[in-house]
Amino acid sequence: IRLGWRSLSLRGPRRIEWEMTSGGMQVSMTGDVDQAYCRVKRRYEAKFGEDRVTLMKAYSSDVVAAFPDNYFAFIYIDGNHFENFVRDDLINFWPKLSKGGLFAGHDYNTAYAGSGPKVACDKFVATRPEIKMKVTDEMRFPKCCPSFYWTKP
């Protein structure tokens, strides 16, 4: 899919903290994203121009109101993997996607506690028969990391 970008908005918290349980092994990761933020900012501004990139250090629930409905041509979610957070991103950002736009996200699998992304997506799509969800075949690790995606009719 080729999209013509008028701007790019990236959002995320100041610190990333998550836990993943996979195959009985718990992995905890914490990282300060300030350095990554600066690298991403420089890279995207160099590639697209300062006036076309907006980086927002915030939680999605805190910034969703800043965007009018039908604003985005592409949305990709990969945040907190608990079902309620994924559900909120799906519900809150769905109106922000323009008709024909691509909505996608990462980790549509059962590797996470409660299988949050998969469960939230399945429930979201079940109430919207017009959505035809597809799943990528990303199998770097057994049963790990596929993305879900659909276009908005």
Side-chain angles (χ1 to χ4, degrees):
I1 294 176
R2 176 169 264 166
L3 302 172
W5 297 102
R6 69 174 171 197
S7 68
L8 176 68
S9 299
L10 304 173
R11 51 120 188 121
R14 189 161 191 280
R15 291 187 61 75
I16 299 173
E17 299 179 30
W18 68 93
E19 290 186 354
M20 180 176 82
T21 303
S22 178
M25 179 176 144
Q26 185 164 343
V27 179
S28 296
M29 301 177 210
T30 303
D32 189 341
V33 297
D34 285 337
Q35 290 179 355
Y37 173 87
C38 291
R39 279 195 315 272
V40 167
K41 183 174 172 48
R42 283 192 305 270
R43 187 175 344 147
Y44 281 103
E45 286 177 351
K47 185 169 181 136
F48 299 109
E50 281 186 44
D51 60 331
R52 297 181 68 197
V53 176
T54 303
L55 295 177
M56 305 173 86
K57 279 201 243 182
Y59 293 100
S60 57
S61 58
D62 295 336
V63 299
V64 68
F67 301 101
D69 288 354
N70 304 305
Y71 181 80
F72 293 105
F74 174 72
I75 294 173
Y76 191 92
I77 63 170
D78 186 13
N80 188 311
H81 288 67
F82 286 101
E83 180 185 349
N84 58 316
F85 289 98
V86 178
R87 179 200 62 227
D88 290 350
D89 278 348
L90 293 168
I91 291 169
N92 292 337
F93 278 89
W94 180 243
K96 307 304 178 182
L97 186 66
S98 60
K99 183 178 179 180
L102 183 66
F103 200 107
H106 200 231
D107 299 316
Y108 179 83
N109 61 30
T110 57
Y112 294 96
S115 307
K118 183 176 185 333
V119 172
C121 286
D122 290 348
K123 288 180 179 179
F124 184 81
V125 170
T127 63
R128 293 163 179 83
E130 71 278 9
I131 294 176
K132 307 298 181 220
M133 182 170 61
K134 296 180 175 79
V135 179
T136 63
D137 186 17
E138 299 172 47
M139 299 305 282
R140 292 179 295 182
F141 305 105
K143 298 183 180 178
C144 180
C145 310
S147 294
F148 63 88
Y149 63 99
W150 57 76
T151 55
K152 188 170 187 179

